[in-house]
Amino acid sequence: MNKIGEGFTKEYLVETLKNGVHEVCFYKVDGTIRTLNCTRSTDIIPEEFTPCGRGIERTTVVPVFDIDDKVWKSFVVENTIYIN
């Protein structure tokens, strides 16, 4: 498990999240802590939620599919506390 301060990059988080479901903990913009069970694996995301590539790509934000709520959410890379 990586911890905050280990220099997360967007590339690392995206690649990790492409392989299965992971718990990600991060600070929300309002300063509260949030934990998500999420993925970017196209084998896990239901077909009706598969991204179609029309979103805006931001270099500091990681879009993820929330397994529990069945919706897309995102978090800021530098606010990541851990991923496992």
Side-chain angles (χ1 to χ4, degrees):
M1 174 172 24
N2 292 314
K3 298 199 180 298
I4 195 166
E6 288 191 1
F8 288 105
T9 64
K10 181 173 181 175
E11 293 77 20
Y12 171 80
L13 294 167
V14 167
E15 286 304 312
T16 300
L17 289 161
K18 285 181 181 177
N19 298 302
V21 176
H22 296 271
E23 181 179 84
V24 177
C25 184
F26 57 93
Y27 290 102
K28 292 173 48 174
V29 175
D30 67 5
T32 59
I33 294 176
R34 173 77 182 243
T35 302
L36 290 177
N37 291 311
C38 55
T39 189
R40 287 181 57 103
S41 171
T42 55
D43 294 335
I44 297 171
I45 300 168
E47 187 175 331
E48 64 267 23
F49 296 106
T50 301
C52 57
R54 290 183 281 198
I56 297 171
E57 184 67 26
R58 297 183 208 148
T59 58
T60 60
V61 177
V62 179
V64 294
F65 186 74
D66 182 330
I67 295 297
D68 300 321
D69 290 344
K70 305 279 190 262
V71 296
W72 283 90
K73 296 182 179 175
S74 62
F75 60 92
V76 177
V77 172
E78 65 190 24
N79 292 346
T80 306
I81 299 169
Y82 70 79
I83 180 171
N84 64 12

